[in-house]
């Protein structure tokens, strides 16, 4: 992974850790989890499509 992305992610996590309201923090983390899961699903789908196109 690119070190710049690690730095950005670490900065975001640190910023979220500074949120004092636990319900807001939980909402933020749930949103991040849903977004990451959707991105992963899209990438896996693209990978399947790519593999299928090579089979022909």
């Amino acid at each position: 992974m690119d070190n710049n992305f690690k730095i950005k992610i670490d900065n975001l996590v640190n910023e979220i850790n500074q949120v004092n309201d636990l319900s807001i923090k939980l909402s933020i983390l749930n949103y991040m989890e849903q977004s990451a899961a959707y991105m992963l699903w899209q990438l896996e789908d693209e990978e399947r499509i790519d593999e299928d196109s090579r089979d022909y």
Side-chain angles (χ1 to χ4, degrees):
M1 179 189 316
D2 185 328
N3 198 42
N4 289 327
F5 281 111
K6 287 181 181 180
I7 292 169
K8 289 177 184 181
I9 292 168
D10 288 343
N11 287 339
L12 180 58
V13 169
N14 288 332
E15 186 175 343
I16 292 167
N17 278 332
Q18 294 176 15
V19 174
N20 291 324
D21 188 318
L22 293 179
S23 63
I24 292 174
K25 189 183 288 190
L26 184 60
S27 295
I28 293 167
L29 293 173
N30 282 330
Y31 178 78
M32 287 178 61
E33 183 179 29
Q34 291 171 358
S35 296
Y38 181 70
M39 286 179 62
L40 182 58
W41 174 81
Q42 284 182 312
L43 287 171
E44 289 171 344
D45 196 44
E46 288 176 24
E47 186 176 49
R48 279 191 294 276
I49 291 168
D50 188 50
E51 288 173 1
D52 289 347
S53 68
R54 283 189 246 153
D55 290 341
Y56 294 106

